């Protein structure tokens, strides 16, 4: 179905013209099956893939061609994407509803950069916090960070939620078997859920005298985190007693709210600073990434930053035809706005990337799940699609049925490293593991092929009954990394970040705020008062909420 019920009227003739031309392209291609596109052009992959650094993006299984791409490029030009990219790489407060810059890119600028500071002291304050974090990492790794009883810290628990959890969690899991950490066995754990589920499990296993908590919260007001942190504090106090020494030995804080960290009792030496110009979901590159640095060491952390910096430079300088994040953005615009595909699955074929779908859900949906433009108008196009995902091979045994034979069109991102286990050739089990990696790669390629081509993927199957048929034409992109390393992961995450930004420019929305989550927090506070019999609601509650509260209270 053609998504263009009406060409969006943005009041800008060039943008409108670009949308109109895209509508024609969508009409031209709407009935062309991917199988036809591949058989009509044996060079299709060559035309529709791009490589940069450790990353390859194959978008030949997307339902577009060079002509449609050219029109998408014209749309990007009409929306002044190039100028907006330069505005991102400056101290301009492009997060207009919060009057803040969005300088997460500054977090990965190397110490010896020739780049000009976007505002006085930005680069130097980033470096000084990284150095402070490096000092803590060394102390913990060397066994010099002692608990209150003088025992070595063996376990670190990151308490945070959203961007203060998902980024560090995803990256630490992804790089869990990095060679950099072989000699440094340190338990690194994460507690995010406000109901205390994860923390309760951890507190059963950990020993207070050996455990260090990182309270990670940009705002230091997030109740999920503060409740978990309070539970941890009480747990420590019960065995070790309270006081300044306990706080000094067992808590690190990472936040932009220094006074709030002071008030909570984080010792000044244990405070790591972030800045209001780092959005929560863009913060893993800052000291919010402390669990990552603990996992892979500062050398590894710097490689992660270097990979992201490589992608920053690429995004800033490459023409859109070769620009990985811009192409990812344009493909998304094509799917969402031209083909009416509003679902996207993230499918890593590497178990180490198990948390990538959750991380990208926040990055994309909290950034671009918006319906009001920067000018305060209602958007006239769809914006962010619904994202979800799972480790691909496992998802094959769960929801791929819908992808192959359901009624929904879904675009998929297949993600895999080309090499794995190669560095462990001396291990006796490595040959078997290499074979397992080959198996995963074969499945990755086979699934994207079958989804694209349908039954054409396996000619010679003969006439199939309807229930066995594969219609195909499900579009996908494949991202291959040379291998999964701090550097390549940094580059890939930054590519997704910039994709999100480029799409926000085309949709005319601000990707750096999240006002949609605020009212829920307020109402929850009021509801808590009612559940605890401490307050009456300001407004009469609806019958559903009343009924549910009655049930809870009657138990
Ligand atoms: O780091 P904080 O301030 O605790 O916020 C955690 C998360 O909460 C949100 O503000 C949404 O509620 C996210 O944007 C953020 O990553």
């Amino acid at each position: 179905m053609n998504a263009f019920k009406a060409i969006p009227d943005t009041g800008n003739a060039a943008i409108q013209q670009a949308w109109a031309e895209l509508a024609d392209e969508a009409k031209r291609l709407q009935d062309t099956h991917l199988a036809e596109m591949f058989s009509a052009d044996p060079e299709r992959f060559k035309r529709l893939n791009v490589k940069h650094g450790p990353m390859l993006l194959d978008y030949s299984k997307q339902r577009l061609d060079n002509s449609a791409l050219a029109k998408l490029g014209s749309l990007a030009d009409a929306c002044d994407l190039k100028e907006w990219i330069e505005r991102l790489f400056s101290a301009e407060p492009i997060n207009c509803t919060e009057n803040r810059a969005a300088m997460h890119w500054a977090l990965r600028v190397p110490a010896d950069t020739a780049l000009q500071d976007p505002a006085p002291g930005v680069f130097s304050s980033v470096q000084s916090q990284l150095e402070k974090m490096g000092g803590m990492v060394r102390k913990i790794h060397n066994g010099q960070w002692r608990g209150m009883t003088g025992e070595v810290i063996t376990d670190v628990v990151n308490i945070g939620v959203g961007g203060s959890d998902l980024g560090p969690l995803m990256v630490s899991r992804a790089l869990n078997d990095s060679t950099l950490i072989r000699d440094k066995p340190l338990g690194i754990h994460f507690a995010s859920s406000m109901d205390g589920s994860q923390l309760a499990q951890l507190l059963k296993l950990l020993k207070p005298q050996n455990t260090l908590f990182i309270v990670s919260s940009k705002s230091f007001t997030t109740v999920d985190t503060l409740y978990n942190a309070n539970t941890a504090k009480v747990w420590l106090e019960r065995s070790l007693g309270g006081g300044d020494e306990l706080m000094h030995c067992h808590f690190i804080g990472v936040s932009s709210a220094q006074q709030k960290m002071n008030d909570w009792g984080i010792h000044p030496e244990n405070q790591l600073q972030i800045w209001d110009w780092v959005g929560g979901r863009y913060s893993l590159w800052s000291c919010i990434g402390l669990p990552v640095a603990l996992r892979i060491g500062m050398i590894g952390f710097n490689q992660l930053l270097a990979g992201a910096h490589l992608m920053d430079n690429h995004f800033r300088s490459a023409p859109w035809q070769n620009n990985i994040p811009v192409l990812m953005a344009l493909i998304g615009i094509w799917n969402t706005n031209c083909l009416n595909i509003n679902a996207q699955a993230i499918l890593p074929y590497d178990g180490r990337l198990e948390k990538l779908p959750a991380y990208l859900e926040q990055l994309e949906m909290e950034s671009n799940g918006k319906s009001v433009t920067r000018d305060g108008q209602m958007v006239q196009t769809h914006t962010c699609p619904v994202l979800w995902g799972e480790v691909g091979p496992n998802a094959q045994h769960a929801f791929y049925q819908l992808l192959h034979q359901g009624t929904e069109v879904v675009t998929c991102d297949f993600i895999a490293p080309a090499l794995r286990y190669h560095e462990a050739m001396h291990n006796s089990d490595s040959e078997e593991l290499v074979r397992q990696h080959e198996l995963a790669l074969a499945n990755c390629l086979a699934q994207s092929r079958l989804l694209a081509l349908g039954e054409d993927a396996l000619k010679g199957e003969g006439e199939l009954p309807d229930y066995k048929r594969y219609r195909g034409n499900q579009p996908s992109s494949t991202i291959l990394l040379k291998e999964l390393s701090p550097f390549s992961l940094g580059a890939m995450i930054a590519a997704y970040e910039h994709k999100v930004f480029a799409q926000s420019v085309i949709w005319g929305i601000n990707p750096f705020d999240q006002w949609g989550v605020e009212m829920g927090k307020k109402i929850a506070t009021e509801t808590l008062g009612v559940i605890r019999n401490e307050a009456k609601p300001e407004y009469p509650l609806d019958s559903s909420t009343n009924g549910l509260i009655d049930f809870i209270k009657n138990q």
Side-chain angles (χ1 to χ4, degrees):
M1 189 186 78
N2 189 345
F4 286 93
K5 291 184 191 77
I7 307 300
D9 177 8
T10 58
N12 174 314
I15 296 178
Q16 206 158 334
Q17 167 76 16
W19 278 119
E21 289 177 4
L22 273 171
D24 292 341
E25 291 295 316
K27 209 162 167 204
R28 176 177 65 80
L29 288 173
Q30 68 184 348
D31 297 323
T32 311
H33 196 287
L34 272 166
E36 290 171 55
M37 293 188 187
F38 272 96
S39 55
D41 179 7
E43 303 277 87
R44 189 170 162 81
F45 170 78
K46 211 162 151 196
R47 263 183 257 290
L48 301 176
N49 89 88
V50 57
K51 294 181 204 76
H52 188 70
M55 185 169 165
L56 173 145
L57 170 72
D58 168 24
Y59 54 101
S60 61
K61 296 191 189 91
Q62 293 289 346
R63 280 160 40 182
L64 41 61
D65 58 13
N66 282 112
S67 162
L69 255 185
K71 303 295 181 205
L72 286 162
S74 308
L75 176 66
D77 289 342
C79 294
D80 295 332
L81 178 59
K82 255 210 142 335
E83 289 75 4
W84 273 101
I85 292 174
E86 282 314 297
R87 292 168 81 174
L88 171 72
F89 286 93
S90 79
E92 188 183 328
I94 57 171
N95 175 356
C96 53
T97 59
E98 297 179 309
N99 196 28
R100 291 173 184 165
M103 295 193 290
H104 42 281
W105 55 270
L107 299 166
R108 44 236 194 181
V109 168
D112 59 355
T113 185
L115 286 177
Q116 216 189 331
D117 227 336
V122 169
F123 291 160
S124 57
S125 52
V126 166
Q127 289 307 322
S128 90
Q129 290 306 302
L130 280 179
E131 271 165 36
K132 188 169 179 185
M133 180 171 89
M136 291 178 177
V137 170
R138 269 190 300 280
K139 215 169 149 189
I140 296 168
H141 281 176
N142 294 341
Q144 291 162 337
W145 190 301
R146 299 295 171 111
M148 201 169 149
T149 59
E151 290 197 40
V152 170
I153 293 299
T154 55
D155 291 273
V156 179
V157 182
N158 188 79
I159 297 180
V161 73
S164 302
D165 169 69
L166 287 166
L169 173 64
M170 182 272 284
V171 176
S172 331
R173 289 272 168 91
L175 302 175
N176 203 14
D177 63 355
S178 166
T179 49
L180 296 165
I181 53 142
R182 289 247 163 92
D183 310 332
K184 303 196 189 303
L186 178 72
I188 298 175
H189 317 274
F190 292 84
S192 57
S193 78
M194 65 164 64
D195 65 313
S197 303
Q198 296 142 333
L199 195 60
Q201 288 300 322
L202 285 170
L203 298 187
K204 275 188 219 159
L205 301 173
L206 300 177
K207 294 196 185 110
Q209 60 273 23
N210 306 112
T211 304
L212 173 65
F213 292 91
I214 305 168
V215 185
S216 195
S217 173
K218 180 184 170 186
S219 61
F220 227 81
T221 58
T222 306
V223 289
D224 320 45
T225 299
L226 294 180
Y227 268 72
N228 273 327
N230 187 57
T231 301
K233 198 196 264 186
V234 172
W235 177 75
L236 290 171
E237 283 169 353
R238 278 198 190 124
S239 349
L240 304 175
D244 286 352
E245 211 190 333
L246 178 96
M247 296 307 296
H248 200 176
C249 297
H250 292 274
F251 282 99
I252 291 173
V254 191
S255 181
S256 66
Q258 192 188 348
Q259 189 53 49
K260 292 198 170 80
M261 285 198 275
N262 289 337
D263 295 346
W264 199 82
I266 303 282
H267 192 284
E269 277 178 21
N270 295 359
Q271 295 183 8
L272 292 167
Q273 189 200 354
I274 61 167
W275 304 268
D276 68 358
W277 47 259
V278 188
R281 53 194 172 275
Y282 300 88
S283 65
L284 75 90
W285 322 98
S286 70
C287 294
I288 295 280
L290 174 56
V292 176
L294 286 171
R295 173 55 74 211
I296 63 176
M298 283 309 285
I299 294 174
F301 195 75
N302 282 324
Q303 288 170 357
L304 181 82
L305 299 184
H309 184 61
L310 175 98
M311 194 52 68
D312 292 338
N313 289 337
H314 170 70
F315 181 52
R316 218 175 156 178
S317 59
W320 70 261
Q321 291 88 340
N322 306 319
N323 192 314
I324 290 182
V326 175
L327 286 166
M328 288 165 76
L330 295 179
I331 289 159
I333 297 283
W334 174 255
N335 285 329
T336 304
N337 302 121
C338 306
L339 302 184
N340 210 16
I341 301 172
N342 297 311
Q344 183 176 349
I346 305 296
L347 305 167
Y349 273 70
D350 184 321
R352 294 171 295 179
L353 290 170
E354 65 175 326
K355 294 290 173 189
L356 183 68
Y359 171 80
L360 291 180
E361 283 160 20
Q362 187 197 14
L363 178 64
E364 298 226 7
M365 295 200 279
E366 199 175 62
S367 297
N368 282 341
K370 313 274 166 73
S371 49
V372 173
T373 65
R374 286 178 173 277
D375 311 328
Q377 309 293 317
M378 289 305 291
V379 290
Q380 296 182 37
T381 55
H382 277 286
T383 57
C384 189
V386 174
L387 259 87
W388 91 103
E390 180 54 87
V391 173
N394 295 3
Q396 287 178 198
H397 302 281
F399 59 76
Y400 273 40
Q401 167 63 37
L402 178 145
L403 302 182
H404 286 298
Q405 291 187 318
T407 54
E408 295 302 316
V409 186
V410 178
T411 177
C412 301
D413 282 7
F414 289 91
I415 300 161
L419 287 173
R420 193 170 176 194
Y421 302 118
H422 60 288
E423 83 286 1
M425 275 327 213
H426 54 279
N427 286 350
S428 55
D429 55 359
S430 64
E431 210 172 298
E432 285 66 37
L433 288 171
V434 169
R435 284 166 164 276
Q436 284 197 249
H437 178 54
E438 288 163 356
L439 177 70
L441 283 177
N443 272 270
C444 178
L445 304 191
Q447 290 291 337
S448 66
R449 182 158 173 258
L450 181 56
L451 283 167
L453 305 183
E455 286 142 35
D456 268 32
L458 268 190
K459 291 220 173 80
E461 280 292 284
E463 196 59 23
L464 292 170
D466 284 349
Y467 64 87
K468 281 192 173 176
R469 301 209 64 166
Y470 289 79
R471 72 179 140 79
N473 216 20
Q474 290 277 39
S476 68
S477 296
T478 300
I479 291 174
L480 292 182
L481 302 175
K482 189 172 173 235
E483 61 187 330
L484 185 60
S485 66
F487 187 77
S488 67
L489 185 61
M492 183 176 72
I493 302 166
Y496 272 102
E497 283 181 351
H498 293 321
K499 166 208 167 177
V500 165
F501 176 69
Q503 290 189 326
S504 79
V505 170
I506 292 173
W507 287 324
I509 56 181
N510 174 13
F512 298 118
D513 62 10
Q514 57 282 322
W515 293 103
V517 301
E518 290 308 316
M519 198 171 289
K521 294 181 192 171
K522 248 184 167 159
I523 297 183
T525 308
E526 192 183 305
T527 313
L528 183 61
V530 181
I531 288 180
R532 289 179 173 167
N533 291 322
E534 290 167 356
K536 293 231 169 309
E538 261 182 57
Y539 302 98
L541 294 180
D542 58 276
S543 65
S544 163
T545 308
N546 269 328
L548 297 170
I549 289 177
D550 280 349
F551 181 85
I552 292 166
K553 285 187 175 173
N554 284 335
Q555 300 317 304

